[in-house]
Amino acid sequence: MSKVTEVVSELAGPILQELGLELVDIEYVKEGKSWFLRVYIDKESGVDIEDCGLVSERLSEKLDEVDPIPHSYFLEVSSPGAERPLKKAKDFEMAIGKNVLLKTYEPIDGEKIFEGVLSAFDGQTIGLDVKVKGRKKNIEIPYEKVANARLAVTFS
């Protein structure tokens, strides 16, 4: 994590805790000539525009006080969306029974991209039910080999 995202995480923590919200992710990126600080928040019932506005207002005040970013940037506070990233062990535990897309650092059974229903997670291994040629198959993926993962929306 970069220095900026660490500081923002520390500043956002008490604000989010007070509001009953969870910090999902922080991105600090340059796009074109502009810098963006994106803070993704969530709660069990989902976040709305009022939650995002309140966090943005309070976090902006804290960022102005501490001033961890030496240049201008845009602060965006939003929900992680329907295809929420899975970053922490807790995220994987909460996603059991849901459709996910996983990418691994190295091939497993000749593949690096997997989509299916997360069937199990024990902190070390991810169980994933995938379809291979129309047949359901369970694949075990070591947690440390996951490069990135997210919920995947499916349309029936």
Side-chain angles (χ1 to χ4, degrees), residues 42 44 82 84 86 91-101 115-120 127-129 150-154:
D42 207 358
E44 206 167 298
R84 172 189 173 134
L86 305 176
D91 297 335
F92 283 88
E93 291 166 5
M94 300 286 288
I96 291 175
K98 296 181 181 172
N99 203 60
V100 299
L101 179 73
E115 184 173 348
V117 176
L118 191 108
S119 59
L128 195 63
D129 292 334
R150 64 173 171 78
L151 294 178
V153 174
T154 56

Side-chain angles (χ1 to χ4, degrees), residues 106-122:
E106 56 192 55
I108 297 173
D109 293 336
E111 300 291 331
K112 288 178 75 174
I113 299 173
F114 302 89
E115 184 173 348
V117 176
L118 191 108
S119 59
F121 178 69
D122 65 7

